[in-house]
Amino acid sequence: MCIWRRTKLFLAIFFGSIQKRTLRKELEEEMAEAAIDSNEEVSKETEDLGFLEQVDGGTFQQVTNLLNIMESESAKSDVAWAGPDMRKTLASVIITEKANSKPSVVMNALIRCLQMPEISIQRKVNIYNILQEIIQQEGELEEQCVQRLVTIASKEMRETSETEGYVKAEVASDTLVALSRNHFSLVMYELQHHLKPLNLTDEFVIVTLAKLANGNVFEFMPYMGITLATIFTMLRLASEAKMRQVICGAMETFCETVQFYLRHLEDSVYPVMTEEQFAMKLFPMYRYFVTVWLRNDDSEVKLGVIKSLRPMLNLLLPNDDLREQVYDYIPLLLAEYQGSLEALFITQVLRQILEVSVITSTPVPQMQLHTIFTELHIQVCAKAPAQQQYSSQNLTEIVHCFIALARSYPKELMKFFLSQMEMSKEATRVGTLTLIRAVVSADEPKMNTRTIHLAIRVVKNTLSDTRSKVRMAILRIIGQLALSGYQDRIKGWGLKYVSVQLTLSTYKLTNRRESFYQRDLEEKMVHKVTMDTVRIITSSVSGMTNEFWVRLLCYIMETDYTEALTPICISLTNLAERQLHSKDVGTNMASRSKHVDLPAPQKLLARLLVLMSSPYKGEGRGIAMLNLLQTLSQSIAPSMADMWELEIPLLVQYLEEHTEFTWNQKTWEDKLIQFLRNSIKKTRGSSWSLRLSKELNNQIESFDSPSLEKAFLYRALGFTLATGLEADKVEVLLLELLYKTDYSNDFDREGVILCFGLCARGQVKTVLNVLHDFEERIQESEQSWQIGAWRKDHPWRREIVKSALMVTYSCVAAYCHPQMLLAHVDTPITAKIIHHYSSSCQDISLKLAFMKSIMQVTDAIKSIEYLEDFQFAQKATVTGIITAILKAEPADSLVSPVRTTAMDALAHLSKLKPFYSVEENSELMDISLHSVISLQPPGEDNDSMKILYTNAMIALAQLMEGLMQRQLDPKGLQEMVHLLEKWILSEKEWEREKAMNLHLRLLQIYVQSVGVCIPLKLGQFGTLVGLIAPCTCDPHRRTRVASTDVLSSLLDLHASQTCSLWDASKEKELMKCREDLKGSDEEMIFSASSRIAKVVCMEFNCDEVVSLIQKLCENIGAMDLQHDKASVTWIGTFLQMRVKELEDKVAEILGAILAHLPVVDHLEVRRLLIEGILLLAHYHQETVLTSLLRQPLPMESHLTEVWQAVAENLPFARTMLHGLMGRLQSRFSPRANATSKADIWRLAAVDPLMTLCTIHLLVEKMDQDDELPDLLPDLVYTLLLQLSSSHRPEASPPILKTWRLVHAGTLPEEINLQRITIRSMQLLLRRVNNEHLVCSLEEQGVWNLLENSLTFLEGVGLLARLCLQNMEGHRRRLSELVLRGLDAEVLSCRISSTAVCVEFMSDPVLHQEKLLKPVVFMLERGVDQEDEALRVLSLRALGNMALGAPQKVKQYRKLLLEKCLCALREPGSTSVVSEGMAALTKILAELREGHVGSFFNAISEQCRAFFDNESELLRFKAFVLFGTLAKVVRVSKKHLFKVEVKKAWVSLMLHCQDPCSYTARACMETMLQCLHFWGCKGLESPPGQTAASADEMTVFQTTMCSVLTQKKPAVLYGFLLETISYLKSNLSRIRVAACNLAGIMMKQMSASYLRKLDFPALRNSLQELQLDADPGVRRAALETLKILDNCSQHGLLASPEGVS
């Protein structure tokens, strides 16, 4: 078969039954195709059957193919799916359906397939199965075909050599059986042919015969006899176990077939064979089975024999002759009990024989009785072997055997039982008694009374046996006797035995020991059987004896084993009802009253009431006792009978409507108490209730502690005592109760306390008197507490009694009548409670008792409806005690419920007047929070600690709630949150979780209570949210979820108060975030928290945003990193969404961030905070900048980080540098008026040092590759101006002092204006990328010059010069800045700008940039200023025009000359005059004679005025200027200047020897420039161009004087007079020069002019010089005197005219 065809088939099969037709068609097509393909494969060995192929038209091949399919699918069915089974089934169906139309053809084809050589067993099995189906549906078939099939099947059936052959033989056998239905004779003939006498046939022949007999009863009967006879001849030949089993099974079938045949003889058409005939044929086989095969060692053979005996005995036992023979083989059956055979099958055969013997009245031989008794008895008494699977069924069969024996041999059986009872073995006795009970219980009409009598005798002989199982067996026999109608037989001994066992079992159970658990179980069983027996007796035995009645009543009253009460009460009820409904009710009741000692009515009622408190114990004793009470109502209390008739049924109804799982203990007890109270009301006015109280009091000792019964007993006693009329007797009972109570037993102590409380409802004064009396009797005092042990087994302890007394007082308050309570609550109740606690050791139990008492008292007070103005006087004292207790609890462990109880007590007290003040409320909250929240949660495996912990948390929440109720306003809410804040920010996750949950609960209460009524304070909402927001990222999942709930509640509160709409989409998003927070992914958690922030952000106004951010900043660092990240995440989210609206709040927000930034340790958190600052700065630059600049110095690290972050963002850093530069420039600019809020912050005063430090930091941290082209010149110039102001500090604005740093010490040296400014300038100039500039600045010491105030301006000039030379790209901007600086209001700025301008004026840049004109005008103004430095620099700059723009000097000559001349006229400023002359020198160098004009004379005159000035500089500048002026003079001014030269000549000649060398040189040069103005060629050869020696100068002077003497003696005389005036010069060199020149002049002067001299005056002057400090002056003066004397000696002065 092709693979694709198989695949196609598999796919078709997969579609199931719906596609069966398609599958079938495909199979048929496949079969046809395969038939064509496989024609050549037909075996040559079947040529003799070729005619069949011609007849069937290919059917054989089709059948073969289908069988192939079935066989192949069978091989796959073990591992494949269900599809192959369907293919196999369909193939079989196809063959069967073909047989419908061509049965013979298909049958022949199948038979031929069977005959094919070497076919598999499975193929044969498939063929036989198909043949069976065809046979069943076709019925009659061709005889020839059937004959062939019978022959083949018979042969196959008998070939069982292999294991698989059994399967083949079995299906072949089934095929023969199928054929027998319509072809019985052919099949039977074939089988009988192989069944031959004395020849052991094949086992499947016998099996097939059995099947034929079972399926064809009437047809088989004619062959039954010969078959049995033939099989009997084979018995001895069957030696194999398998064959014996087959024969036994066949015999079982044959016997059952015979029984069926005998029952339906009328339906038989064959010759009739009688039952006797069958029996006679069977008995030999029965005998052989029992005597031979039953003794076989093979257990399977034994089992087969035993199973075949029962149907054989059904045919044998009805025969009288054969029955006796069967009895003879009973011992052989009994012997099998000793073997391994299952005992049940043996007993079943034995029971069959014994029951037939009873029916036929032919008992077994007496000689076999003992053996039968013994073997069966052993089966009952002995433990069944482990291999016995049917021991219980076997025991049932044995019981039936003994019943049969008891009917036949009662006397012998009882005698045997008696002999067995004499044995001491418990198992033997129990087994015997069990059999006796079975005999008694047998519903056999033939069981005579003699047998019962004998059985009772046997039982009585064992009444003294105390073993549990024996007792139970006897009790069961007694009960069975009563049930079986032998009630009279048990009166006396039976009832007495039951009573004794009832008492005995109860005693043993109530005094049991733990080490005898097994005995207790047995005794419980005895008791249960006893109860069952009592129930049976009381319900069936009439005429019950009085003694038994009394025993049962006393049992109820006295027994401690309450489990037996239910059946006893039922029994008593039955007895009582039977007596009440008897004919002589009155007589019997009267006699009972006289002769029976019944318990007192109060005692019986008390006992039953207490027991009924647990109505479902003991199999529901409550209903039984209620029924008993109702039945005995007339006997107990006739006055209550009518009421009981109404109320008891209602109680019974309640119990019937419930079960032990659905009832309510308190409800039931309340019903019982109400029943008791109603009953007592019926006896009002009598002492009945007091006697009932005594009986209840007496019952206390009868019950264990703790128990429900005893608890109810205390309660009932309290109610009963409350109704007592005689107070003195009530006091006696109460005192007795106090004395006998074991106070160390918690249950008893609580019971007594409850009793006193209930009694106080009607006897409050009596109860208080009893307590007071009790305290006095036990001699209580503060110094001595001696309590005698009234009961030696209950030694009391001082603390326990105090605890009990405290709780008793509080219980009295709880149950006391309201009117009486207010009169006694302060004193004595609360006062006594406080006293007992204060005078005790105050251990845990006393603390708990004290606080429990206080709570009871407060509850009692609150329960009063009309308190009016009642003030609890002891509240303050009690509160102090409780808070002390709470503080004393260990903070790190929870070992008792003290703190829970303390908080509960405080919560109770908070509701009483006088109410706690606000301060007291806060203190109590704080104490409670410290006491509970710090506790670590217990482990999962510590259930007790978990309970304590949970209760403590609940108590804390209730207390906080109660205290908050007194202050439901925003202030109270804030105070509550303030107390919780410490714990919400705790480092311990359990503290945070508890605080958050508590916050949530209290907030929800606040929202529900207040809502929109009282609005929150401004900023409070933001503070509340800011506290909770970081917890949305808490590491603990429950804390995160709780924080979300808190935020939701806060938002609800805010929405209600602001009347804003809380969008449903926002609520949905909030809930989604809450779900996301339950996850563990940290990234998802932060994302959810950020989304929450976005949701709530728009609900905030600006003030709330500020308070939120302030709170978030406060929280940073308080907890772990996750909380800090959450805080900054919220801050960032709020700033991003609301930054534009926060213009007025930026300073507050920034202040909050900056205040807390220093404490942030984690870099990421700091980074996020700084990003928030930058975001604020981006939108509100001026405000942020001013706020940052107002931070103190030295700059903290956090502030440095902020500016570093600014520096990292280059565009923003430039913007900030502009702002910083503007802050510095504003100090040098006119103050502008603010037109906006930004202007206000921009114009606000800031510390320039902070500004400079910030600029330095930014420049240092910014990208070094950025040259800052747009900022560099402005920054450098601004820093330069700032540096100038630091050297010339003007008065700071008053407001600036507010931000001056107030430090404990001084600032570091490096933090000062000059150094920071210079360092900033250095950093800026390094960015120019001009190494030459940087090196030049260092080499020329510019920075040192700038740092020194004395050399600052020099440094400025040098810096300006270098910048001009090396910063080509910035010259234009620098020029503009210079121009702006010249117009600054601040003098230092103008000075520095002018100093820079000096260098710029010496460069063509100003002229080139067309800035010269405004600069000149600015300089003009500078010259007119008062400041000397400004005037000097302005003059210098104007003079430098000759250097930078010489072509423009002529244009501005008038201005320049005028301003310079004005400077020369300055009387007191050397530097101004000097700079003026220097400027004139440079200017004049660029002018011509005609350009000077009228200024010529003025310049000359002003210049000569400084020739003799004390200032070397002025003299120097004057000589240089005069020399320059001499160079300018041409023809037109020559004459005028010649006059000026004459006027200046003496000074020039003298100052050529000026003490200042450079002045002397300048003077010499100037004098040389002026020589040509004398017009003497002899003077044109100067002494030296630069410096002349003294001799040369003397020669020159001599020559000059000589020339003048000759040509102009008058001029020489004038020069002499002028020279004499220099003798008093301040300069020693000039005095020396004057002396020498005067001498030379006198030598050359003519006598006529000498005579004009004032010789005395001259002499005096020279003589005065003799005293000069300078020796040179003295020498020169001496020489001159000599010359003077020499002139005198020559007579030049002799004439009187000369003297005059």
Side-chain angles (χ1 to χ4, degrees), residues 1277 1281 1284 1288 1290 1352-1354 1356 1378-1399 1401 1414-1440 1459-1460 1463 1466 1469-1476 1479:
Y1277 201 78
L1281 296 183
S1284 68
R1288 300 170 60 88
E1290 285 79 25
F1352 171 71
L1353 292 177
E1354 181 183 352
V1356 170
V1378 169
L1379 177 61
R1380 191 172 66 185
L1382 292 174
D1383 195 32
E1385 285 189 353
V1386 180
L1387 177 62
S1388 60
C1389 295
R1390 295 202 303 274
I1391 293 173
S1392 299
S1393 298
T1394 307
V1396 175
C1397 188
V1398 169
E1399 301 299 327
M1401 289 293 287
V1415 169
V1416 170
F1417 290 140
M1418 291 294 178
L1419 292 174
E1420 178 188 6
R1421 287 194 299 176
V1423 174
D1424 296 334
Q1425 299 297 316
E1426 297 180 358
D1427 186 82
E1428 180 178 345
L1430 180 59
R1431 295 178 64 191
V1432 168
L1433 292 172
S1434 299
L1435 290 169
R1436 189 178 302 166
L1438 289 173
N1440 283 349
K1459 292 302 176 184
C1460 290
E1466 182 67 30
S1469 176
T1470 303
S1471 58
V1472 172
V1473 175
S1474 171
E1475 202 58 50

Side-chain angles (χ1 to χ4, degrees), residues 1083-1264:
E1083 184 177 350
M1084 181 180 291
I1085 291 171
F1086 277 99
S1087 174
S1089 178
S1090 177
R1091 281 159 39 213
I1092 293 174
K1094 292 178 181 178
V1095 169
V1096 305
C1097 178
M1098 302 314 296
E1099 303 300 317
F1100 283 65
N1101 59 38
C1102 293
D1103 291 311
E1104 301 294 352
V1105 172
V1106 173
S1107 61
L1108 170 79
I1109 294 177
Q1110 289 174 341
K1111 194 63 182 179
L1112 289 171
C1113 291
E1114 290 176 12
N1115 293 344
I1116 295 176
M1119 291 180 284
D1120 55 18
L1121 177 60
Q1122 278 189 260
H1123 289 82
D1124 293 348
K1125 286 184 178 180
S1127 296
V1128 297
T1129 299
W1130 276 65
I1131 291 173
T1133 301
F1134 269 72
L1135 289 179
Q1136 288 173 4
M1137 299 184 69
R1138 303 293 297 276
V1139 65
K1140 295 180 180 179
E1141 309 169 28
L1142 298 174
E1143 182 178 5
D1144 295 337
K1145 307 297 179 181
V1146 171
E1148 296 179 61
I1149 295 173
L1150 186 62
I1153 296 175
L1154 291 176
H1156 296 89
L1157 188 59
V1159 302
V1160 179
D1161 298 327
H1162 197 269
L1163 294 179
E1164 184 177 358
V1165 177
R1166 295 170 69 90
R1167 179 182 62 78
L1168 293 173
L1169 280 176
I1170 291 171
E1171 286 180 0
I1173 296 175
L1174 298 185
L1175 181 63
L1176 287 171
H1178 181 74
Y1179 288 94
H1180 309 285
Q1181 177 183 330
E1182 301 300 338
T1183 307
V1184 173
L1185 189 57
T1186 301
S1187 299
L1188 290 176
L1189 293 177
R1190 286 182 171 180
Q1191 298 300 309
L1193 283 172
M1195 194 181 295
E1196 298 290 344
S1197 59
H1198 69 280
L1199 201 58
T1200 303
E1201 286 186 38
V1202 173
W1203 289 114
Q1204 286 176 346
V1206 173
E1208 291 174 1
N1209 186 347
L1210 197 57
F1212 187 60
R1214 290 181 175 182
T1215 303
M1216 295 301 284
L1217 278 175
H1218 271 294
L1220 292 168
M1221 187 170 59
R1223 292 297 195 282
L1224 291 177
Q1225 292 173 352
S1226 64
R1227 302 180 63 244
F1228 317 132
S1229 304
R1231 185 169 183 83
N1233 294 324
T1235 59
S1236 64
K1237 294 179 180 178
D1239 289 342
I1240 294 174
W1241 283 100
R1242 180 173 54 81
L1243 298 174
V1246 293
D1247 190 344
L1249 181 56
M1250 185 64 179
T1251 308
L1252 289 168
C1253 290
T1254 305
I1255 292 175
H1256 176 267
L1257 181 60
L1258 283 178
V1259 174
E1260 182 180 20
K1261 298 300 180 181
M1262 288 172 67
D1263 186 4
Q1264 297 299 321

Side-chain angles (χ1 to χ4, degrees), residues 183-441:
H183 306 279
F184 182 80
S185 298
L186 292 175
V187 177
M188 192 64 187
Y189 176 79
E190 176 67 24
L191 293 176
Q192 290 293 335
H193 177 70
H194 297 289
L195 187 68
K196 299 177 181 180
L198 300 175
N199 186 12
L200 187 61
T201 187
D202 187 79
E203 62 180 85
F204 269 97
V205 173
I206 298 176
V207 170
T208 307
L209 285 171
K211 292 180 180 178
L212 286 176
N214 188 46
N216 305 273
V217 178
F218 298 106
E219 291 86 347
F220 193 86
M221 280 302 114
Y223 303 94
M224 182 62 75
I226 189 172
T227 301
L228 293 177
T230 305
I231 291 175
F232 178 73
T233 64
M234 298 179 187
L235 296 181
R236 296 188 182 190
L237 301 176
S239 59
E240 294 183 2
K242 179 65 176 176
M243 191 63 187
R244 291 184 177 184
Q245 293 178 47
V246 169
I247 293 174
C248 289
M251 288 305 299
E252 186 176 357
T253 303
F254 290 150
C255 291
E256 290 173 352
T257 303
V258 170
Q259 291 179 61
F260 180 83
Y261 170 75
L262 292 175
R263 289 194 299 271
H264 301 84
L265 282 175
E266 66 278 3
D267 297 330
S268 175
V269 296
Y270 295 96
V272 176
M273 189 176 180
T274 63
E275 183 178 0
E276 185 177 355
Q277 291 174 331
F278 282 117
M280 294 305 292
K281 289 183 179 293
L282 285 174
F283 183 74
M285 300 188 75
Y286 174 83
R287 181 175 61 235
Y288 192 83
F289 279 7
V290 174
T291 58
V292 180
W293 283 9
L294 192 57
R295 297 168 64 185
N296 193 285
D297 295 334
D298 194 315
S299 60
E300 295 294 331
V301 174
K302 285 178 176 287
L303 184 59
V305 171
I306 284 294
K307 288 185 176 181
S308 66
L309 291 182
R310 292 185 66 192
M312 293 173 73
L313 285 173
N314 286 334
L315 296 173
L316 295 176
L317 288 176
N319 191 304
D320 294 338
D321 296 333
L322 296 178
R323 188 185 312 119
E324 295 292 339
Q325 297 183 51
V326 170
Y327 290 164
D328 293 338
Y329 298 105
I330 290 176
L332 294 177
L333 294 174
L334 294 175
E336 291 302 318
Y337 277 124
Q338 308 303 322
S340 60
L341 189 62
E342 187 73 44
L344 171 64
F345 304 117
I346 303 171
T347 308
Q348 287 175 341
V349 175
L350 192 60
R351 175 189 174 185
Q352 187 178 4
I353 296 172
L354 292 175
E355 287 182 344
V356 172
S357 70
V358 174
I359 295 171
T360 60
S361 299
T362 54
V364 297
Q366 193 167 4
M367 58 181 296
Q368 295 182 3
L369 288 178
H370 189 271
T371 304
I372 295 173
F373 291 161
T374 303
E375 291 297 334
L376 292 177
H377 192 269
I378 290 172
Q379 296 295 314
V380 175
C381 299
K383 185 177 180 182
Q387 66 270 21
Q388 298 287 342
Q389 300 179 5
Y390 307 102
S391 57
S392 59
Q393 295 94 321
N394 184 43
L395 183 60
T396 303
E397 296 293 328
I398 291 173
V399 168
H400 286 288
C401 290
F402 273 105
I403 292 173
L405 290 170
R407 290 169 59 186
S408 301
Y409 298 99
K411 184 177 180 181
E412 290 78 1
L413 180 59
M414 294 306 159
K415 183 178 180 181
F416 172 77
F417 284 163
L418 184 59
S419 65
Q420 295 298 317
M421 295 297 287
E422 291 176 355
M423 300 181 183
S424 59
K425 290 184 178 180
E426 183 181 21
T428 302
R429 289 192 173 187
V430 172
T432 304
L433 291 171
T434 302
L435 292 173
I436 293 175
R437 181 190 174 199
V439 171
V440 173
S441 64

Side-chain angles (χ1 to χ4, degrees), residues 1194 1249 1306-1316 1319 1347:
L1249 181 56
T1306 58
L1307 285 172
E1309 292 183 3
E1310 63 272 11
I1311 301 181
N1312 60 60
L1313 285 171
Q1314 293 87 355
R1315 291 187 180 181
I1316 293 296
R1319 285 163 57 190
E1347 189 173 357

Side-chain angles (χ1 to χ4, degrees), residues 387-524:
Q387 66 270 21
Q388 298 287 342
Q389 300 179 5
Y390 307 102
S391 57
S392 59
Q393 295 94 321
N394 184 43
L395 183 60
T396 303
E397 296 293 328
I398 291 173
V399 168
H400 286 288
C401 290
F402 273 105
I403 292 173
L405 290 170
R407 290 169 59 186
S408 301
Y409 298 99
K411 184 177 180 181
E412 290 78 1
L413 180 59
M414 294 306 159
K415 183 178 180 181
F416 172 77
F417 284 163
L418 184 59
S419 65
Q420 295 298 317
M421 295 297 287
E422 291 176 355
M423 300 181 183
S424 59
K425 290 184 178 180
E426 183 181 21
T428 302
R429 289 192 173 187
V430 172
T432 304
L433 291 171
T434 302
L435 292 173
I436 293 175
R437 181 190 174 199
V439 171
V440 173
S441 64
D443 188 15
E444 295 290 343
K446 295 184 179 180
M447 192 71 69
N448 55 34
T449 57
R450 178 63 178 170
T451 304
I452 301 301
H453 175 71
L454 293 174
I456 291 174
R457 285 185 60 187
V458 174
V459 173
K460 285 183 178 180
N461 287 335
T462 59
L463 293 180
S464 60
D465 196 327
T466 60
R467 287 173 288 193
S468 301
K469 293 181 180 179
V470 177
R471 291 157 58 201
M472 286 189 287
I474 295 173
L475 288 167
R476 289 191 178 101
I477 291 175
I478 295 173
Q480 189 61 51
L481 286 169
L483 285 174
S484 300
Y486 304 106
Q487 293 90 344
D488 294 339
R489 297 283 184 176
I490 64 173
K491 287 185 178 179
W493 72 274
L495 296 180
K496 182 178 180 180
Y497 186 82
V498 172
S499 301
V500 170
Q501 294 306 315
L502 182 62
T503 304
L504 179 62
S505 62
T506 303
Y507 174 78
K508 288 184 177 182
L509 287 173
T510 52
N511 294 277
R512 58 191 177 187
R513 290 178 289 178
E514 294 183 359
S515 59
F516 298 97
Y517 180 72
Q518 183 64 30
R519 293 185 184 179
D520 292 341
L521 289 178
E522 293 176 355
E523 204 59 47
K524 283 185 178 180

Side-chain angles (χ1 to χ4, degrees), residues 660-674:
E660 59 181 319
F661 306 106
T662 62
W663 78 306
N664 182 275
Q665 174 73 27
K666 186 178 184 304
T667 303
W668 173 246
E669 287 189 3
D670 291 342
K671 289 179 178 293
L672 284 182
I673 291 296
Q674 189 61 41

Side-chain angles (χ1 to χ4, degrees), residues 887-898:
K887 290 179 181 178
E889 285 296 292
D892 56 347
S893 61
L894 181 63
V895 296
S896 70
V898 168

